[in-house]
Amino acid sequence: MRPWTLLCASLAAALVSAGAMAEPYLAPEVRSVTLLAHDGGRVDWSPQNRIAFDRRSPDGYYDVWTMDADGAGQRCLTCGAAGAPTKNKGNPAWHPSGQYIVFQAQKQTMPAMLDHVAEPGRGVGNNLWLMTADGAHYWEIVNADRGGAPAGILHPHFSADGRQLMWTQLLRADGKLGDWDLHVADFAITDGAPVLSHERVLRPGPVQKFYESHGFFPDGRSILYTAETATGLSDEFTLDLATGAVRDLTNDAAFWNEHAHIDPAGRRIVWATSKGVPGPLRYLNLWIMDPDGSHQHQLVDFHRAGTPIASSGIGPGDSAWSPDGRRLAVYVIGDRAETVGDIYVIDFNN
């Protein structure tokens, strides 16, 4: 749990936007990095200051865990729990009340030979589940099965008021990443059980192919997501749910962009990108930008030898903001086979 100070962690202290702003822009500055959990995976940080994450268990399947914000009190919620799915479970996301966690889970009838594509980062053969925060009660809330055809679920997220839920759903196996769409539904607990209603299927943007859901803006009116671009790579986009207006935030024809998350105040977005990383496009670093895509800056270099958060693998595979927006939990993939990962917390000075 000992914090290390990042080498060369400071970004430019003040940058002036071209032509439009008289006031300087103050870029966030990384103060320290702390290791929270070994062998951790995808993360989410609750308003009550608890962290949920997935972790591979000794049986080879992923389970859902929780821990305190300092890494203490680590507890597996789904390990052997009555009513829980028994195969891969992951990508947990808190309901803002702190009383529930939504997650994706591999269907029980999927053959063992396909377990690798059913892991949380791929989501094939997954359905959408909800559990109480103590792991005592479970509900399957979306069954994505399509009668034997490829199906799946990825990256569920609640809106800040807890009244909406979004996720990505596999439509068909097509090409390298498959054909997915975005789903948004109203969410409520009625008579002690979860209820989804008014589900909408969304396929925004010019290339209606691969999508990955990353969450709602704080006001719940827009969503943040990854989508395939004309080059076969991906950008970060926003969609206004009322008007259907789409905005390409990263607009990088030559790079891979993914895993974008907006802070609780709606002031800045952190995302993973291959921009500026030597080697294959699958290697990523963390960057940060304003909600409109301006003031893009590299936040952390995960491929610089000698830094305490250096990775020999992909680098950042997911992240989640703390409730106060001053810290970021980051899942760092440590090897090329995507089998080893740790969870760190990055502290900011501003």
Side-chain angles (χ1 to χ4, degrees), residues 250 276 331:
T250 49
Y331 162 47

Side-chain angles (χ1 to χ4, degrees), residues 217-231:
F217 278 68
D219 63 6
R221 297 177 181 177
S222 299
I223 60 173
L224 184 62
Y225 64 96
T226 294
E228 187 171 329
T229 62
T231 63

Side-chain angles (χ1 to χ4, degrees), residues 122 152 154 168-170 177-181 203 209-211:
R122 297 176 177 88
L154 273 175
T168 315
Q169 194 160 322
L170 181 60
L177 298 174
D179 193 352
W180 300 73
D181 47 30
R203 296 181 65 80
K209 185 79 171 175
F210 169 73
Y211 298 94

